[in-house]
Amino acid sequence: MSSHINILLLDDNHEFAGACCLLLQQAGYHVDLATTVEEGLKLGSSRTYQVALVDYRLPGMNGIEVMRRLKKENPLLEVIIITGHATLEMAVEAGRGGAFDYISKPFEPDKLLGLVTQLAQKFRGAGEQSGGAFDFVFDGAPVRIIGASSVMQQIFSLIDKIAPTESTVLILGESGTGKELVAKAIHAKSLRADKPFFAMDCGSLVESLFESELFGHAKGSFTGAYVTKHGAFELANNGTFFFDEIGNISLNVQAKILRTIQEKEFRRVGDTTTIKVDVRMIAATNLDLMQAVGDGTFREDLYYRISVIPLKLPALRDRRDDIPLLVDYFIKKHNYRRRGRDIQSISPDALDMLTQYNWPGNIRELENVIERAIVIEESLDISSASLPIHIQRGSEDTHREALSLADVERNHISKILKMTDRNITHAARLLDIDRKTLYDKIRRYNLS
Amino acid sequence: MYCLFIVTPQNVSNSELEQFLHVNHVDCEIVYDPFTGIQRVQEQHFDLIILDAEACTAGIDRAIRLLKGCDPYTRIIVKTNINTRDLESSVRKEQVFYYHVNSLGLNDLQIAVKSALQLSGTL
């Protein structure tokens, strides 16, 4: 169980940090080491950790402030403050800041392991309680989110906590990680559950149409305009509105959305009458919105309005422990395609390949792979031969060389661009990302 | 791009749209009731389905759900002559690509089809 816990260790004393890192790794935990505040905050925003060990005295920022920033990214993170000189003031400050505990240097290895074990048991308890899934009823139908890993258990726990509030939620995560499903879960567990839930993909329509879809359209003279289209906002009144890929919205429409959030009213396109609306907003993106704010493509005020509670969904490669459960779930879900000759299981080598593959398309890609395998498999167990060739090869590559995630992504995008003769639209579709994201990645990996 | 156009037999106002699809090199197949449409979607993938709300006498939301159930990756545009709050609400709940009211003019519908063409890589 201990291997399910990801630990971030932030200490500028290389020797001490190295020794702690080794100790925790030997106990079976996964540990990422950072020796500067910048490095620690960067890791904290790019990966999901359950536990952070943070030195109190760090150059440029004290450990309590670092803890606050890390917890803003991940509210369920448990932090242990490490200090050379524990004082009562520091202990109070750490407790108020939400630290799980503090530990004074020098300490016995057992003391540190004891604290981390307590936290590991806490996360394990949460996992057993829910049986590796989060169930809810949406629009009258039962829905299940699969995840026994501690990171998913944290997500489930957070959904339960934030759902009954009225707070705006920003769901972050790569394409295919289940952002819309989580938005639905929040709505289903909220006090608005019996009211409408509307979702809009903000990246698919041109601005003028998107605006009319969102705010409605009135046609006729301005004073006596009649409603032609109500728009999704008005119809979602008293319910929840989900903006998928909010980073793709134009600045003009962003301003109108901000006004709607702040004033709780809006105007239809072509109309001067204001309409009152009470809608809880949930937004999602796979972009770095802070970066977009810096680039001037996303309004800072809107960013702070929508990111009251950030909820980061892990990539599938960061929760490989869940892959067998997900495979089993998708086999049951798609077995009807076999018309009576149900798939019973998956062979160990096929499951091994699925577990080692990097899943750039995340759970959506895994589901497609299983659905395809169910259709083409001739026996009653999914064999490795029924998996796509790139997954079979991916497994060989993993054995051959340890590529970084960025290298794998770069190589894959490069391959798809070649395959599509650099047709961005086609390539983005195959990669299951939007064109803007693809352009960003082309720029980042210097593939232009 | 391959488009399935589900319309009512009585609807005679689609010729301009059909012409637009033709000019934009969209292969278009027309059927006159949603059940035939669902059968066709089970047989092959269509990049876009333009569904006339008036053709769905058994419920537009059910028709959309069935079409999406057969092919979750198809984009659906719903068009209607008469809009009501209930109709618009039930269509939006099913998360279609675009909801068009005919009185807003053909231009908006054409832009929506073009957006779908762009996303499918045709444009």
Side-chain angles (χ1 to χ4, degrees):
Chain A
M1 188 65 210
S2 55
S3 62
H4 289 189
I5 302 293
N6 293 326
I7 299 174
L8 172 64
L9 173 58
L10 173 56
D11 196 310
D12 61 332
N13 181 330
H14 291 249
E15 205 176 322
F16 172 81
C20 283
C21 192
L22 192 62
L23 175 73
L24 292 164
Q25 282 170 343
Q26 281 172 346
Y29 298 104
H30 179 269
V31 188
D32 285 335
L33 176 61
T35 52
T36 65
V37 170
E38 292 72 28
E39 207 182 335
L41 293 177
K42 199 173 167 190
L43 277 170
S45 66
S46 62
R47 289 203 59 178
T48 306
Y49 295 96
Q50 287 72 50
V51 178
L53 302 169
V54 181
D55 188 22
Y56 182 68
R57 281 182 199 274
L58 289 164
M61 194 182 292
N62 81 28
I64 308 290
E65 182 54 30
V66 172
M67 171 175 71
R68 285 200 185 101
R69 294 195 184 194
L70 289 172
K71 275 181 164 280
K72 191 165 184 258
E73 287 279 339
N74 175 6
L76 289 180
L77 178 75
E78 294 290 5
V79 179
I80 298 170
I81 298 287
I82 303 168
T83 175
H85 311 279
T87 62
L88 183 62
E89 288 77 18
M90 192 234 81
V92 170
E93 195 188 356
R96 279 188 182 155
F100 174 74
D101 209 335
Y102 69 93
I103 186 166
S104 304
K105 292 181 195 171
F107 50 78
E108 290 295 318
D110 285 351
K111 168 99 175 161
L112 177 64
L113 288 176
L115 285 174
V116 175
T117 305
Q118 268 186 52
L119 290 171
Q121 281 168 349
K122 178 188 152 187
F123 289 120
R124 184 168 56 213
E128 282 164 358
Q129 201 174 8
S130 69
F134 186 88
D135 293 308
F136 60 96
V137 176
F138 183 83
D139 212 11
V143 184
R144 170 165 283 190
I145 307 178
I146 301 290
S149 56
S150 58
V151 57
M152 286 311 290
Q153 293 300 319
Q154 278 186 292
I155 300 282
F156 299 159
S157 166
L158 194 54
I159 291 171
D160 272 332
K161 277 185 192 167
I162 63 181
T165 72
E166 286 293 300
S167 300
T168 309
V169 182
L170 178 61
I171 305 171
L172 305 159
E174 295 177 11
S175 288
T177 47
K179 297 188 284 288
E180 184 170 336
L181 201 55
V182 168
K184 285 178 175 173
I186 294 169
H187 172 74
K189 298 271 180 180
S190 77
L191 302 173
R192 296 169 180 260
D194 59 340
K195 299 289 189 294
F197 172 94
F198 285 117
M200 273 189 81
D201 179 354
C202 306
S204 61
L205 282 171
V206 295
E207 183 183 325
S208 61
L209 292 194
F210 180 70
E211 205 179 329
S212 126
E213 286 285 272
L214 197 56
F215 297 108
H217 202 130
K219 209 177 173 191
S221 67
F222 265 52
T223 46
Y226 63 89
V227 177
T228 306
K229 205 152 111 174
H230 293 274
F233 247 135
E234 186 184 336
L235 296 171
N237 193 24
N238 295 320
T240 307
F241 200 97
F242 175 57
F243 288 95
D244 199 5
E245 300 307 345
I246 196 165
N248 293 337
I249 295 178
S250 69
L251 285 166
N252 174 39
V253 179
Q254 284 175 35
K256 292 182 179 174
I257 291 171
L258 180 67
R259 182 174 183 272
T260 309
I261 298 174
Q262 285 173 334
E263 311 294 331
K264 292 187 183 295
E265 61 182 32
F266 68 93
R267 287 179 195 155
R268 288 195 190 95
V269 175
D271 199 359
T272 52
T273 317
T274 53
I275 297 161
K276 294 277 179 198
V277 71
D278 169 23
V279 174
R280 182 185 192 181
M281 292 207 196
I282 301 177
T285 183
N286 62 5
L287 299 176
D288 181 348
L289 281 190
M290 268 315 277
Q291 175 74 43
V293 169
D295 294 344
T297 55
F298 201 84
R299 290 179 68 109
E300 190 175 11
D301 42 10
L302 180 60
Y303 171 75
Y304 285 112
R305 274 280 173 177
I306 61 170
S307 63
V308 177
I309 300 177
L311 199 161
K312 193 164 70 191
L313 297 186
L316 185 54
R317 61 185 165 274
D318 288 336
R319 56 175 186 120
R320 292 178 195 273
D321 294 346
D322 285 335
I323 290 175
L325 271 180
L326 286 160
V327 168
D328 188 48
Y329 176 74
F330 291 136
I331 287 174
K332 285 176 184 145
K333 183 176 171 186
H334 293 289
N335 245 340
Y336 74 95
R337 293 185 184 278
R338 301 270 295 186
R339 296 172 199 267
R341 289 181 60 248
D342 282 4
I343 290 283
Q344 304 296 319
S345 185
I346 182 165
S347 70
D349 62 325
L351 186 59
D352 191 43
M353 282 174 185
L354 295 178
T355 310
Q356 286 181 34
Y357 180 62
N358 264 315
W359 299 109
N362 292 295
I363 300 163
R364 193 182 297 142
E365 185 185 3
L366 173 64
E367 181 168 5
N368 291 345
V369 165
I370 297 299
E371 189 180 349
R372 173 185 180 274
I374 284 172
V375 173
I376 65 172
E377 178 62 57
E378 289 180 352
S379 75
L380 295 181
D381 290 336
I382 293 175
S383 63
S384 54
S386 297
L387 301 179
I389 199 76
H390 67 279
I391 291 183
Q392 296 178 36
R393 283 188 184 149
S395 172
E396 287 164 18
D397 288 346
T398 310
H399 286 300
R400 202 163 44 232
E401 52 179 334
L403 291 174
S404 75
L405 190 57
D407 286 340
V408 172
E409 186 173 69
R410 186 185 190 284
N411 293 346
H412 188 60
I413 291 172
S414 171
K415 202 160 62 185
I416 296 289
L417 285 171
K418 266 184 208 154
M419 194 196 294
T420 58
D421 287 332
R422 299 191 72 82
N423 179 329
I424 298 296
T425 306
H426 191 191
R429 194 171 170 210
L430 288 174
L431 291 164
D432 203 17
I433 56 177
D434 56 69
R435 285 180 300 163
K436 190 169 181 298
T437 309
L438 180 55
Y439 277 120
D440 287 344
K441 288 183 188 295
I442 288 171
R443 208 167 29 244
R444 191 190 313 155
Y445 293 128
N446 207 16
L447 292 169
S448 49
Chain B
M1 189 190 214
Y2 205 36
C3 169
L4 181 67
F5 199 177
I6 304 171
V7 290
T8 54
Q10 295 81 14
N11 199 326
V12 290
S13 61
N14 293 307
S15 54
E16 268 185 286
L17 180 60
E18 285 168 36
Q19 178 65 21
F20 170 79
L21 294 170
H22 179 71
V23 168
N24 281 281
H25 312 292
V26 178
D27 292 323
C28 187
E29 181 175 330
I30 301 175
V31 296
Y32 296 99
D33 68 273
F35 299 107
T36 314
I38 288 158
Q39 279 174 357
R40 289 294 295 123
V41 174
Q42 277 178 327
E43 289 159 5
Q44 75 166 86
H45 169 72
F46 292 90
D47 301 290
L48 176 66
I49 297 172
I50 301 175
L51 178 59
D52 195 326
E54 279 78 33
C56 303
T57 47
I60 183 89
D61 47 351
R62 186 161 167 253
I64 298 168
R65 268 201 301 276
L66 288 168
L67 287 166
K68 280 188 161 185
C70 298
D71 184 355
Y73 302 104
T74 191
R75 293 187 177 87
I76 299 176
I77 291 176
V78 172
K79 62 191 275 295
T80 182
N81 278 323
I82 302 160
N83 186 28
T84 65
R85 195 183 172 89
D86 285 346
L87 174 68
E88 187 175 336
S89 191
S90 54
V91 170
R92 290 198 185 282
K93 267 187 189 162
E94 301 307 323
Q95 294 181 31
V96 296
F97 181 71
Y98 181 65
Y99 179 70
H100 181 72
V101 183
N102 290 342
S103 61
L104 284 173
L106 189 61
N107 190 42
D108 279 6
L109 183 57
Q110 288 177 342
I111 295 171
V113 171
K114 274 193 171 171
S115 293
L117 291 173
Q118 279 168 343
L119 287 167
S120 73
T122 309
L123 278 186

